[in-house]
Amino acid sequence: MPAQISLVVDRLPPAAAIARARPWLKDSPSARDFVSRGSAPLSHYEPDQEIFGEGDRAEAVYKIVSGVVRTCRFLSDGRRQIEAFLLPGDLMGLEAGAVWTLSAEAVTDCTVAVYRRRQGESFSLEDESLTPQLLSYAMRSLARARSHMFLLGRRSALEKVATFLVNWSDRAQNGQSCTLPMTRQDIADYLGLTIETVSRTLSQLERDKLIELPSAREIRLKDREALREFNI
Amino acid sequence: MPAQISLVVDRLPPAAAIARARPWLKDSPSARDFVSRGSAPLSHYEPDQEIFGEGDRAEAVYKIVSGVVRTCRFLSDGRRQIEAFLLPGDLMGLEAGAVWTLSAEAVTDCTVAVYRRRQGESFSLEDESLTPQLLSYAMRSLARARSHMFLLGRRSALEKVATFLVNWSDRAQNGQSCTLPMTRQDIADYLGLTIETVSRTLSQLERDKLIELPSAREIRLKDREALREFNI
DNA sequence: CGGGATTTTGATTCCAATCAAGTCCGGTGG
DNA sequence: CCACCGGACTTGATTGGAATCAAAATCCCG
């Protein structure tokens, strides 16, 4: 397990990194607002580094400033379910209890702002000025968890993959073409499929001329409407 | 579709109904507290009656006083995914937007307390004294949505059904034996399975001596630990 | 240019869906 | 009281879609 060395940095990552044409590396305006008004310390993580682990004490809430994070749960037999991919501006770590019920890991290089929780029976942050925002964040997380739930139950591989592509490209808006920062394994674990099935399904969507795959991590949605129809 | 006739009653259902040995018909202490301190109107619904429908304006939050409710989403091809079964004390209807993203229907006869939302951009109730409780309700709903999500992805029918039984009997605590108010179709739609698979799986659990099925709706968990091991 | 990881493709298996009968109740009326 | 009806549930036979097992192709990154 990676040691907790030099995780906390006191500045944003170099502009050069942000300048690359990877939208999830840019810090969002809302994240910037959030950061600039408070004195929340920033932490930086490298790909696949753990941000927090299921079972550890949950002592903070995190806001993604730049990069992509995945939250997930591991089963004892090695299966992994990814709960969500988080982008700049997203909040993570709203836990009712004092212990993480899931893990968070960096997908790409990423920076997160840390807001410490107050000790006590009910949920609150040390910086009380953020409390009013928490309910709306919680409701947004709930809505996302629900739509992910609906995607996992009794949907075909085609429906799952097509819906994932549309949702991802909507969130990481970069027009027609979108870059996937996550591996096929990540997508599979997010959709409750295997890498082989994800790969086959992408190939089929390409044969059917709904998408183009210039490279494995680069996807052009050629017929967004047709893809959207797989959702429902 | 059922007309909205005489849904609103101004008193709890007859004691006789509550007296039946069905735990979910008893109103919970917390529900009673919630009701007695406020002036929230109560509504009563019959089995399979709609409480609110996906797409309608979301103008209230509901608290279950007695009975069992299911929340669900329908797909255009007739598939249905049940999001949750709600018991007395549970809150439902935390929606970020102004429109329901799911429907709620009575599973049994049930009574719910209605808390009207205030009009406006951010979420709030007319009775402001309830606001502090909303965040903890939201976080509880989120935790449930997540564990349901984890149950739907890449889990076998055996794991799904066993976990459902343990979770249900924990929540509707009535010791070894538990009564299922919902149909096999409800269970199937909750777990992302078909009725046949649910039925077969229950039969297999009975053959394996992990449960007993005195009748279709009555289940005795003979080996709770073994059942619990299917979860993970 | 090489080498390992990632991704794709192919062959086969297996679990759950589907299609199709039964069976078991719970209620109703003769 | 019992025969009957209809819905809920169970069981059986078969199919189908995704998992698994296996191998090839491709992409990075040094």
Side-chain angles (χ1 to χ4, degrees):
Chain A
M1 61 180 64
Q4 299 282 102
I5 297 170
S6 74
L7 297 188
V8 177
V9 297
D10 54 0
R11 53 187 177 76
L12 290 168
I18 296 177
R20 274 182 266 164
R22 313 244 170 144
W24 52 83
L25 287 177
K26 294 193 290 243
D27 49 335
S28 76
S30 72
R32 176 69 79 185
D33 286 353
F34 219 78
V35 168
S36 61
R37 100 234 252 298
S39 56
L42 299 179
S43 293
H44 184 75
Y45 298 89
E46 289 168 14
D48 295 325
Q49 199 178 353
E50 183 180 83
I51 299 171
F52 54 78
E54 190 181 347
D56 298 346
R57 282 191 65 79
E59 293 172 325
V61 164
Y62 301 83
K63 185 145 187 169
I64 318 300
V65 175
S66 71
V68 179
V69 172
R70 61 174 176 255
T71 52
C72 57
R73 194 172 288 178
F74 295 92
L75 281 73
S76 49
D77 64 357
R79 282 174 294 178
R80 179 183 67 161
Q81 175 70 48
I82 291 182
E83 189 247 348
F85 293 109
L86 300 168
L87 288 173
D90 290 336
L91 200 75
M92 73 178 170
L94 276 180
E95 285 283 356
V99 167
W100 294 120
T101 55
L102 29 74
S103 307
E105 297 168 348
V107 174
T108 65
D109 265 290
C110 64
T111 305
V112 302
V114 184
Y115 300 91
R116 296 191 63 79
R117 283 173 64 166
R118 294 172 76 175
Q119 300 305 320
E121 65 288 354
S122 78
F123 189 94
S124 60
L125 298 182
E126 288 182 351
D127 181 350
E128 296 238 310
S129 69
L130 302 172
T131 305
Q133 303 183 39
L134 289 177
L135 181 59
S136 77
Y137 272 119
M139 293 199 300
R140 199 195 301 179
S141 305
L142 186 56
R144 267 199 209 147
R146 280 177 182 156
S147 64
H148 190 188
M149 180 199 304
F150 293 127
L151 190 56
L152 290 177
R154 279 279 268 101
R155 309 289 282 266
S156 69
L158 215 47
E159 292 173 317
K160 289 178 176 181
V161 172
T163 302
F164 168 76
L165 289 178
V166 171
N167 289 350
W168 177 261
S169 92
D170 282 350
R171 285 178 66 201
Q173 314 138 322
N174 35 357
Q176 284 283 350
S177 175
C178 76
T179 309
L180 300 174
M182 70 290 283
T183 65
R184 296 286 188 268
Q185 186 66 63
D186 285 335
I187 299 174
D189 291 345
Y190 180 78
L191 295 175
L193 299 170
T194 58
I195 35 173
E196 294 95 327
T197 300
V198 170
S199 182
R200 268 185 253 276
T201 306
L202 287 171
S203 300
Q204 189 191 328
L205 287 171
E206 187 174 35
R207 276 196 304 279
D208 296 350
K209 310 241 184 285
L210 298 182
I211 65 173
E212 267 171 18
L213 291 163
S215 74
R217 300 293 186 95
E218 203 72 33
I219 299 199
R220 263 178 42 81
L221 308 192
K222 294 179 67 182
D223 192 343
R224 223 188 189 72
E225 276 320 301
L227 288 169
R228 223 179 273 279
E229 275 167 23
F230 283 109
N231 193 16
I232 279 182
Chain B
M1 61 181 64
Q4 297 283 101
I5 296 172
S6 73
L7 296 189
V8 177
V9 297
D10 54 359
R11 55 190 176 73
L12 290 168
I18 297 175
R20 275 184 266 164
R22 313 248 169 137
W24 52 81
L25 288 176
K26 293 191 291 239
D27 49 335
S28 75
S30 72
R32 176 70 78 187
D33 287 353
F34 220 75
V35 168
S36 63
R37 103 234 252 294
S39 55
L42 299 178
S43 293
H44 184 75
Y45 299 88
E46 289 167 14
D48 295 325
Q49 199 178 355
E50 184 179 83
I51 298 171
F52 55 77
E54 190 181 346
D56 298 347
R57 282 191 65 79
E59 293 172 324
V61 163
Y62 300 83
K63 185 143 185 171
I64 319 298
V65 176
S66 71
V68 178
V69 172
R70 59 175 178 255
T71 53
C72 56
R73 194 173 288 178
F74 295 92
L75 281 72
S76 48
D77 64 355
R79 284 174 291 177
R80 179 182 68 163
Q81 176 69 49
I82 291 183
E83 189 246 349
F85 293 108
L86 301 168
L87 288 172
D90 289 336
L91 200 73
M92 73 176 170
L94 277 180
E95 285 283 355
V99 167
W100 295 120
T101 56
L102 28 74
S103 307
E105 297 167 347
V107 174
T108 64
D109 265 290
C110 65
T111 304
V112 301
V114 184
Y115 300 92
R116 295 190 62 79
R117 282 173 65 166
R118 295 172 75 175
Q119 299 305 320
E121 65 290 352
S122 78
F123 188 95
S124 60
L125 298 182
E126 287 184 351
D127 181 350
E128 296 236 311
S129 69
L130 302 172
T131 305
Q133 303 183 39
L134 288 177
L135 181 60
S136 78
Y137 272 119
M139 293 200 301
R140 201 195 299 178
S141 304
L142 185 55
R144 268 199 208 147
R146 280 177 181 156
S147 65
H148 190 189
M149 181 199 306
F150 293 128
L151 190 56
L152 290 176
R154 273 291 259 101
R155 308 290 282 265
S156 70
L158 216 46
E159 292 173 317
K160 289 177 175 181
V161 172
T163 302
F164 168 76
L165 289 178
V166 171
N167 288 351
W168 177 261
S169 93
D170 282 349
R171 285 179 65 201
Q173 312 139 324
N174 34 356
Q176 284 284 348
S177 177
C178 75
T179 309
L180 300 175
M182 70 290 283
T183 66
R184 296 287 187 269
Q185 186 66 60
D186 286 334
I187 299 175
D189 291 344
Y190 180 77
L191 296 174
L193 299 171
T194 58
I195 34 173
E196 294 96 328
T197 300
V198 170
S199 183
R200 267 185 255 276
T201 307
L202 287 170
S203 301
Q204 189 191 327
L205 287 171
E206 187 174 35
R207 277 197 303 279
D208 296 349
K209 311 241 184 287
L210 299 182
I211 65 173
E212 270 171 18
L213 290 163
S215 74
R217 300 294 187 95
E218 202 72 34
I219 299 199
R220 263 178 42 81
L221 307 191
K222 294 178 68 182
D223 192 341
R224 221 186 188 73
E225 276 321 300
L227 288 169
R228 222 178 274 279
E229 276 168 23
F230 282 108
N231 194 15
I232 278 181

